[in-house]
């Protein structure tokens, strides 16, 4: 292989791919930290820094090669985007959905309850009169299902979605089987001990 092919094609491509990977990992790692997934975040941090060191070593050895700089910057931009896409697909953690409607509140609550979601309803006063505020804590991966129920029941409903870092209720982790329930309780006890 000629030197120019390595210097201007293979090396920049390697830098681009490595930088894209390490930034993607970094984006997911930061999100895991906010979700308090400590061990997984630490492992990803190790891989991220290792890749970064490999890339920066190659950049320092080839300071006169402008293609390496372009590959580094391009890998950073692509990695940021890719990391956000990956995290969105993983849909880790829980979210709080807040639905505000002037009517059809009871119907929304009934449909959400039938689908297996717990809700809390509040009476409130909006700018145009009385409204119902419906709160539900759910897994992030369930958001499209809940939004589908909401769209079918009250298409014009106003809603907001926030990430929930912690919950004091171990029942949220319960699965349908008896095995899943006991596992959820073990996790809950472990988390309680850690917090104390």
């Amino acid at each position: 292989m000629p030197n120019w092919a390595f210097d201007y094609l293979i090396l920049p491509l390697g830098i681009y791919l490595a930088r894209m990977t390490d930034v993607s990992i970094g984006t997911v790692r930061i999100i895991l930290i906010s979700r308090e997934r400590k061990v997984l975040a630490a492992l990803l941090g190790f891989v991220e820094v290792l890749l970064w060191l490999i890339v920066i070593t190659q950049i320092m050895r080839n300071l006169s090669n402008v293609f390496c700089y372009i590959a580094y910057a391009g890998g950073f931009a692509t990695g940021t985007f890719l990391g956000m896409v990956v995290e969105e697909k993983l849909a880790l953690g829980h979210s709080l959905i807040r639905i505000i409607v002037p009517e059809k509140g009871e119907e929304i609550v009934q449909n959400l309850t039938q689908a297996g979601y717990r809700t809390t309803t509040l009476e409130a006063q909006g700018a145009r009169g009385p409204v119902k505020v419906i709160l539900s804590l759910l897994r992030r991966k369930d958001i499209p299902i809940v939004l589908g129920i909401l769209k079918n029941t009250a298409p014009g409903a106003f809603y907001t979605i926030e990430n929930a870092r912690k919950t004091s209720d171990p029942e949220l982790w319960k699965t349908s089987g008896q095995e899943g329930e006991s596992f959820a309780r073990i996790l809950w006890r472990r988390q309680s001990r850690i917090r104390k």
Side-chain angles (χ1 to χ4, degrees):
M1 177 189 297
N3 283 346
W4 66 266
F6 179 80
D7 289 344
Y8 298 111
L9 292 175
I10 305 299
L11 181 61
L13 181 62
I15 288 171
Y16 173 82
L17 293 174
R19 190 63 178 143
M20 179 185 73
T21 304
D22 100 75
V23 173
S24 298
I25 290 171
T27 305
V28 173
R29 179 184 57 81
I30 289 167
I31 292 162
L32 288 172
I33 288 170
S34 72
R35 303 271 190 279
E36 297 188 359
R37 304 278 180 101
K38 299 173 186 75
V39 175
L40 189 54
L43 291 172
L44 289 177
F46 175 82
V47 175
E48 176 191 358
V49 169
L50 187 62
L51 282 171
W52 181 82
L53 284 171
I54 292 167
V55 168
I56 209 68
T57 301
Q58 293 307 313
I59 294 277
M60 296 307 283
R61 286 183 183 164
N62 296 278
L63 288 172
S64 61
N65 188 342
V66 72
F67 290 100
C68 290
Y69 298 142
I70 293 167
Y72 186 87
F76 185 89
T78 307
T80 302
F81 178 80
L82 191 61
M84 292 170 71
V85 169
V86 167
E87 193 278 333
E88 197 174 280
K89 296 292 182 196
L90 290 174
L92 299 169
H94 292 85
S95 290
L96 173 71
I97 185 165
R98 182 183 295 110
I99 304 162
I100 303 171
V101 286
E103 53 192 33
K104 293 195 174 180
E106 301 296 335
E107 195 178 339
I108 293 168
V109 169
Q110 185 180 2
N111 291 344
L112 288 175
T113 305
Q114 283 176 354
Y117 301 103
R118 292 187 283 174
T119 61
T120 301
T121 307
L122 307 168
E123 301 291 336
Q125 186 67 32
R128 297 185 184 132
V131 293
K132 274 202 189 313
V133 179
I134 303 160
L135 305 171
S136 185
L137 189 65
L138 53 133
R139 291 184 183 94
R140 280 188 61 209
K141 64 183 176 185
D142 292 341
I143 289 173
I145 298 166
V146 170
L147 292 181
I149 293 169
L150 188 58
K151 186 177 178 183
N152 291 336
T153 311
F158 176 80
Y159 63 88
T160 61
I161 299 171
E162 302 168 18
N163 289 328
R165 283 186 57 196
K166 281 187 181 182
T167 173
S168 62
D169 189 353
E171 297 298 313
L172 287 173
W173 298 323
K174 187 168 74 173
T175 59
S176 54
Q178 191 67 26
E179 205 175 298
E181 184 174 355
S182 61
F183 182 65
R185 295 210 178 275
I186 291 167
L187 280 175
W188 173 249
R189 283 196 298 271
R190 257 187 88 206
Q191 267 199 345
S192 299
R193 277 199 304 263
I194 290 168
R195 273 183 278 195
K196 290 174 187 173

